[in-house]
Amino acid sequence: QVQFVQSGAEVKNPGASVKVSCKASGYIFTNYAVHWVRQAPGQRLEWMGWINPVNGNTHYSQSFQGRVTFTRDTSATTAYMEVSSLRSEDTAVYYCTRDLFGSSEPFEHWGQGTLVTVSS
Amino acid sequence: EIVLTQSPGTQSLSPGERATLSCRASQSVSSSYLAWYQQKPGQAPRLLIYGASSRATGIPDRFSGSGSGTDFTLTISRLEPEDFAVYYCQQYGSIPKTFGQGTKVEIK
């Protein structure tokens, strides 16, 4: 079965960086784009963008362009999301999910979420 | 960017009652690429409805979706105790893929 297992919760100081991992299993990793979604406390879900595992091409939502970087390791079927220059507003749960690359699909399978807390 | 506005913000109902949730888009959602998700505290969202009206795998038939263009509705025909949660709509036909702000269905 399709499964995403994300790395554990993180607590970071303002200005630091954080890298969240998302280990995929149960499907052909390179057939699907990996998307990232952020949810700040009590807020709506925000789509951050995607990465194409085949070639590493990325697309970032305008709201997240500049401090967010998506990468992947195809041999490990793992996607990564890094946020640099962390601010208190980056405190949120970050989810990974997928859709069939090149198509419009809803997000049926989700990781369990990774809570990132930014606090001094 | 397509902005999705959900109403009401909170709906207080009793088990067995009918819930009707609305999602309005700022522009037409292409090919009815509109989904509904359920989210409970501490959990990831769960896909309920896609294509505006198709139930996802394993979703009970008390959940139904309707609508097209800019107006969409999620209906829960008879609320079960496990249905009290927050519901989000999402359009996935254009970039950025946007979500509504959510409707909380709480126990009256």
Side-chain angles (χ1 to χ4, degrees):
Chain A
Q1 72 284 19
V2 176
Q3 196 173 12
F4 294 105
V5 178
Q6 298 184 222
S7 49
E10 303 262 14
V11 179
K12 295 290 185 180
N13 290 326
S17 296
V18 68
K19 192 170 185 177
V20 176
S21 67
C22 169
K23 165 73 175 175
S25 61
Y27 71 97
I28 300 173
F29 183 64
T30 49
N31 282 0
Y32 291 80
V34 175
H35 296 249
W36 291 89
V37 175
R38 182 174 88 170
Q39 188 171 38
Q43 301 301 308
R44 75 174 71 193
L45 299 156
E46 288 181 275
W47 177 78
M48 300 175 68
W50 52 256
I51 182 167
N52 179 347
V54 173
N55 54 21
N57 285 351
T58 54
H59 180 95
Y60 300 98
S61 170
Q62 206 161 12
S63 304
F64 294 94
Q65 218 146 24
R67 294 190 300 118
V68 174
T69 305
F70 302 147
T71 56
R72 91 292 185 219
D73 179 346
T74 53
S75 63
T77 66
T78 300
Y80 302 92
M81 188 278 303
E82 184 170 18
V83 185
S84 60
S85 303
L86 284 164
R87 311 190 268 247
S88 58
E89 310 90 87
D90 296 316
T91 293
V93 176
Y94 294 82
Y95 294 100
C96 60
T97 180
R98 72 163 199 184
D99 72 356
L100 190 63
F101 194 76
S103 74
S104 291
E105 284 191 339
F107 297 141
E108 184 173 8
H109 303 281
W110 296 68
Q112 83 275 20
T114 297
L115 174 62
V116 175
T117 303
V118 183
S119 173
S120 54
Chain B
E1 171 174 330
I2 297 177
V3 177
L4 299 179
T5 302
Q6 293 184 239
S7 62
T10 301
Q11 200 163 60
S12 299
L13 295 166
S14 301
E17 287 193 299
R18 181 186 191 91
T20 304
L21 286 63
S22 172
C23 176
R24 180 160 289 177
S26 60
Q27 53 190 281
S28 185
V29 175
S30 60
S31 302
S32 294
Y33 288 140
L34 192 287
W36 290 93
Y37 299 85
Q38 176 193 69
Q39 188 178 35
K40 296 180 180 179
Q43 296 184 16
R46 174 194 181 197
L47 177 66
L48 299 175
I49 301 287
Y50 64 96
S53 60
S54 298
R55 272 187 300 277
T57 304
I59 301 303
D61 60 8
R62 64 179 181 273
F63 291 92
S64 63
S66 63
S68 63
T70 60
D71 287 292
F72 299 88
T73 301
L74 174 70
T75 301
I76 311 171
S77 58
R78 293 172 314 279
L79 282 164
E80 297 287 339
E82 61 268 27
D83 299 337
F84 291 92
V86 179
Y87 293 84
Y88 294 96
C89 59
Q90 180 213 16
Q91 68 79 22
Y92 53 94
S94 63
I95 297 295
K97 298 174 187 274
T98 48
F99 293 85
Q101 83 279 20
T103 290
K104 182 179 182 179
V105 178
E106 65 176 22
I107 299 177
K108 188 174 181 180

